[in-house]
Amino acid sequence: MNIPTWLDALIAAMLLIGAIVATLGSLGLARMPDFYMRLHGPTKASTLGVGCTMLGSLLYFSTSGEGIRVQEVLITVFLFVTAPVSAHVMAWAALHRRVHCSANTRHPPWPEMDRAPVTEHAASSAPAGDKESAD
Amino acid sequence: MITPRSWLPTPLLSILLLIVWLLLVRSLSLGHILLGATLGVAIPLLTRRFWDDQPMVRKPWLLLRFMFRVLIDIIIANLLVSWIIINPWRRSRPAFIEYPLTLEHSFPITLLANTISLTPGTVSANLRMDGRTLLIHALDVDDEKALVEEIRERYEQPLKEIYEC
């Protein structure tokens, strides 16, 4: 159980980067305007976030005297194989249900998707008179 | 032509499963080797009907280079997407893009779709029924033509070389 300082710093940096990237991914999930854009946050940031965390864990447990550990590598590999598949399936399901995309999306697959998604927030915050004149 | 044995249709997959099992349990005892071997034989047999026949990997060293390139692209993708997420003044320009495929087999196409989903700001959303077009959603794109060209050059050409020559 004798870890040199530089290795300690490296492990800490890996864990920190992993945590930051995972936070950014979740932030993207919360902040993006439509479903298709929200898909990008978790598939990207979580793969690198989890990857960095795993690398930190791998370094720590490999140097703390229990021999080389490889489960972390396996977890990362499984994640990298499955994350794009789940993103693909969710995007496919959204297309199938014709979930609206935001108005500035170019080339929507169907013309009726080409309009701003009416969120409850936008509907309730719009003045009543404005709404009627728009109709 | 060699016909595959009926109880061991995919020897490489079986060996891979055995190795993964031994790595997972971190043990080389006889019991785990037997259990891993049993799983290695049973899982391919049980899932055989879901597999398409796969094309051979012609150039394994190119596959390694391809994986390394994708790994670097994933890191770049993360930086780009993170920047788009944290920059509140940036209006991103999302788009759906039709990507005309030149790959033939379904396995390389699957690999291509997964690669696209893992790399800069793009998620593959749908494969058209005829298997000739991939629908991609891009988070922030200037020039669709350039993106299609980039994907063709960076990912599809190497995959084509690796699997189809």
Side-chain angles (χ1 to χ4, degrees), chain A residues 24 37 40 44 88 106-107, chain B residues 78 86 92 96 124 141 144:
Chain A
L24 282 175
M37 293 167 79
H40 292 275
K44 306 297 186 298
H88 179 89
R106 280 168 291 159
H107 316 303
Chain B
N78 276 288
I86 54 176
S92 67
F96 281 99
S124 63
V141 61
E144 295 99 5

Side-chain angles (χ1 to χ4, degrees), chain A residues 35-44 47 79-95, chain B residues 113-114 116-119 122-126 135 137:
Chain A
F35 180 84
Y36 303 97
M37 293 167 79
R38 257 175 245 140
L39 272 180
H40 292 275
T43 56
K44 306 297 186 298
T47 43
L79 202 74
F80 272 52
V81 171
T82 52
V85 176
S86 60
H88 179 89
V89 171
M90 278 191 279
W92 196 353
L95 281 174
Chain B
N114 278 7
I116 288 170
S117 292
L118 277 172
T119 46
T122 48
V123 166
S124 63
N126 197 357
L135 186 67
H137 183 266

Side-chain angles (χ1 to χ4, degrees), chain A residues 21 24-25 27-29 31-34 36-41 43-49 66-71 74 78 80-81 83-85 87-89 91-93 95 101-102 104-110 113, chain B residues 20 23-26 71 74-75 77-79 81-82 84-88 91-98 113-129 134-135 137-144:
Chain A
V21 171
L24 282 175
L27 204 65
L29 186 68
R31 279 199 41 196
M32 288 292 180
D34 73 18
Y36 303 97
M37 293 167 79
R38 257 175 245 140
L39 272 180
H40 292 275
T43 56
K44 306 297 186 298
S46 297
T47 43
L48 187 70
E66 282 184 49
I68 304 276
R69 309 260 295 200
V70 284
Q71 280 105 326
L74 287 179
F78 289 153
F80 272 52
V81 171
V85 176
H88 179 89
V89 171
W92 196 353
L95 281 174
C101 50
S102 57
N104 63 342
T105 306
R106 280 168 291 159
H107 316 303
W110 296 286
M113 288 174 74
Chain B
V20 167
L23 288 178
L24 267 179
V25 296
R26 292 190 72 215
L71 215 58
I74 286 171
I75 296 172
N78 276 288
L79 294 180
V81 173
S82 306
I84 293 171
I85 289 171
I86 54 176
N87 190 339
R91 289 273 294 167
S92 67
R93 295 150 295 175
F96 281 99
I97 296 163
E98 299 262 349
N114 278 7
T115 310
I116 288 170
S117 292
L118 277 172
T119 46
T122 48
V123 166
S124 63
N126 197 357
L127 181 65
R128 291 262 183 269
M129 274 308 157
L134 199 61
L135 186 67
H137 183 266
L139 186 57
D140 183 43
V141 61
D142 251 337
D143 180 4
E144 295 99 5

Side-chain angles (χ1 to χ4, degrees), chain B residues 65-111:
Chain B
R65 204 183 68 181
F66 178 74
M67 283 162 71
F68 186 68
R69 176 185 284 176
V70 170
L71 215 58
I72 290 179
D73 282 356
I74 286 171
I75 296 172
I76 298 171
N78 276 288
L79 294 180
L80 286 176
V81 173
S82 306
W83 178 238
I84 293 171
I85 289 171
I86 54 176
N87 190 339
W89 296 283
R90 182 125 165 56
R91 289 273 294 167
S92 67
R93 295 150 295 175
F96 281 99
I97 296 163
E98 299 262 349
Y99 180 81
L101 287 162
T102 58
L103 290 166
E104 302 280 334
H105 294 286
S106 56
F107 187 68
I109 290 176
T110 313
L111 275 184

